[in-house]
Amino acid sequence: MDFSNAKELLELCDNNKMSISEVMKHRECDESTSSKEEITEKMRKVLQIMRDSATMPINTPMKSMGGLIGGEAKKLSDYREAKKNISSSVLSRGMMYAMAVLECNASMGLIVAAPTAGSSGVVPGLLLAMQDVYAFSDEKITDALFVAGAIGYLAMRNATVAGAVGGCQAEMGVASAMAAAGAVELMGGTPRQSLDAASTVLMNMLGLVCDPVGGLVEYPCQNRNASGVANALVATDMALAGITQLIPFDEMLDTMYRVGKRMPVELRETALGGCAVTKSACEACGMCG
């Protein structure tokens, strides 16, 4: 049960009366010759790694290898505990978890690339926050991860998830699209609504450059993971409210890819443009040697 694009995925869902997560499970079984129980158990392990990487830095703040980040997730946690946050409970938790995962990654901890290390905080950030607030079971969250996986698969098959190829719109954009699609199914939305949400995210993040300070996946990457959660939440609510997208996911993905390829090389993970060449950034990383 394979699909090469979002249109085929929707047809499989409609024809078989299945959710995106169920279709993706069937695809994984067919591709790996593993049983449904085996692939589900693997996804549970993925969820546990995500949970560990999202909580460890909150309990034990870590300084990144490059020294540019460390302790931000704990600050957000303390801010929330003091009830000073003005964002919603889901968003404030999602920001905290997303930034924690990037701190874990930059400190050489174990994370799940979703779809990349630099964008690894968005999917766990949003889904774990929703689990906290709505008390979803781990089974429901793993289903949402299969939905996220379907979106990531389509992006890798038909475009790119690499900042070096398509800019941060490819990394953060796809991560946020994955999170939004999973969140929609988690909240009872339809497959079409999940794909509408994914399309909305790519549209909102179109053109985002990849400009890591010092060439390190630390800053501004960590901040953008938090903003990616917010973008995913916006798209999720819009889709669940019944707002459809004029441009379907397949076309939006193709657009993102074409825009990425037209970006100057300085804005595609080379640290030669954008935030990376500001005076303060260069001073922070020792004037790049």
Side-chain angles (χ1 to χ4, degrees):
M1 188 177 283
D2 196 10
F3 48 91
S4 62
N5 52 48
K7 181 181 179 182
E8 291 179 3
L9 172 58
L10 276 180
E11 288 172 353
L12 285 171
C13 290
D14 291 343
N15 294 340
N16 295 281
K17 307 302 179 188
M18 287 181 177
S19 62
I20 291 178
S21 60
E22 283 301 310
V23 170
M24 190 60 178
K25 287 176 189 177
H26 278 282
R27 180 194 175 275
E28 291 299 293
C29 289
D30 292 344
E31 291 292 313
S32 66
T33 68
S34 298
S35 67
K36 189 175 180 181
E37 291 72 24
E38 288 172 329
I39 63 156
T40 301
E41 181 56 32
K42 287 180 180 178
M43 193 62 89
R44 288 194 194 101
K45 291 179 180 177
V46 165
L47 174 58
Q48 188 55 53
I49 294 170
M50 286 181 164
R51 183 176 287 122
D52 289 344
S53 63
T55 54
M56 194 184 310
I58 297 169
N59 300 322
T60 309
M62 309 175 233
K63 198 67 176 175
S64 66
M65 294 293 288
L68 298 177
I69 63 173
E72 291 79 12
K74 179 66 165 63
K75 288 179 180 178
L76 279 175
S77 178
D78 292 343
Y79 182 69
R80 283 192 64 262
E81 289 296 322
K83 301 188 185 304
K84 294 181 178 179
N85 57 291
I86 59 174
S87 56
S88 71
S89 185
V90 172
L91 179 54
S92 61
R93 288 173 183 271
M95 291 164 55
M96 175 184 70
Y97 287 142
M99 295 188 84
V101 174
L102 261 288
E103 184 175 321
C104 182
N105 174 62
S107 305
M108 300 298 106
L110 180 63
I111 55 96
V112 176
T116 65
S119 60
S120 58
V122 184
V123 172
L126 179 54
L127 298 184
L128 290 173
M130 292 177 70
Q131 186 174 37
D132 285 351
V133 174
Y134 296 105
F136 287 115
S137 66
D138 280 359
E139 181 181 4
K140 287 287 188 181
I141 300 298
T142 54
D143 281 350
L145 288 175
F146 276 107
V147 180
I151 298 300
Y153 161 67
L154 287 174
M156 292 186 71
R157 178 164 182 160
N158 298 303
T160 183
V161 298
V165 177
C168 199
Q169 59 163 5
E171 291 202 31
M172 207 62 60
V174 173
S176 302
M178 290 165 65
V184 168
E185 182 169 307
L186 195 55
M187 296 301 290
T190 65
R192 189 171 298 277
Q193 286 175 322
S194 283
L195 288 164
D196 275 342
S199 181
T200 298
V201 166
L202 291 185
M203 187 180 300
N204 290 347
M205 304 186 86
L206 192 66
L208 184 60
V209 303
C210 185
D211 49 354
V213 173
L216 303 167
V217 185
E218 298 182 11
Y219 187 93
C221 318
Q222 187 189 44
N223 295 342
R224 287 181 181 158
N225 273 260
S227 65
V229 171
N231 223 311
L233 267 175
V234 168
T236 298
D237 267 340
M238 288 173 64
L240 291 172
I243 298 173
T244 57
Q245 274 305 332
L246 171 66
I247 305 172
F249 181 71
D250 286 329
E251 292 181 30
M252 202 62 240
L253 188 61
D254 180 61
T255 298
M256 180 273 288
Y257 193 31
R258 285 188 285 108
V259 168
K261 288 191 291 185
R262 296 189 67 171
M263 279 184 185
V265 68
E266 291 84 0
L267 303 180
R268 288 187 278 127
E269 209 173 355
T270 56
L272 296 174
C275 291
V277 296
T278 60
K279 179 176 180 290
S280 296
C282 290
E283 288 174 353
C285 68
M287 301 304 290
C288 300

